[in-house]
Amino acid sequence: MAALFTNLSLWIGAFVLMVILKLEVDGEGVPGLTVRQGYLGRWLFLAVISALQGLLVTAGNLIIGVQTVNAVAFMFTGMLIALAYL
């Protein structure tokens, strides 16, 4: 059941991140900001938070005793899945 609930928590975390944080980019006070730069900056901000969320969830799984073959690969996979849900 650990794989199911880990996956579910990463999906809900990405969903809540989209609900809480504003997705629209307003370029007021930033001269020369293009739309592409604004949205890329917003995505990078959300991607860092999402990757940290994936790292935290997988580290929590390891702390509570979920058995894995390779802990580092498990953590990187969690971060990748969190970015995919983003």
Side-chain angles (χ1 to χ4, degrees):
M1 294 304 291
L4 171 69
F5 285 110
T6 300
N7 206 8
L8 184 63
S9 67
L10 291 174
W11 180 80
I12 290 173
F15 181 74
V16 169
L17 189 63
M18 294 292 112
V19 171
I20 291 174
L21 296 177
K22 186 173 93 169
L23 295 178
E24 296 157 357
V25 176
D26 46 335
E28 293 180 26
V30 184
L33 180 70
T34 65
V35 174
R36 180 174 291 164
Q37 291 171 341
Y39 279 101
L40 181 62
R42 176 64 52 153
W43 182 82
L44 286 173
F45 175 67
L46 294 174
V48 168
I49 293 174
S50 183
L52 289 174
Q53 188 177 29
L55 185 67
L56 184 68
V57 167
T58 54
N61 281 342
L62 293 174
I63 289 171
I64 64 171
V66 173
Q67 296 177 354
T68 62
V69 173
N70 187 346
V72 175
F74 177 65
M75 293 179 91
F76 280 125
T77 303
M79 291 169 58
L80 182 66
I81 290 171
L83 288 173
Y85 284 138
L86 178 68

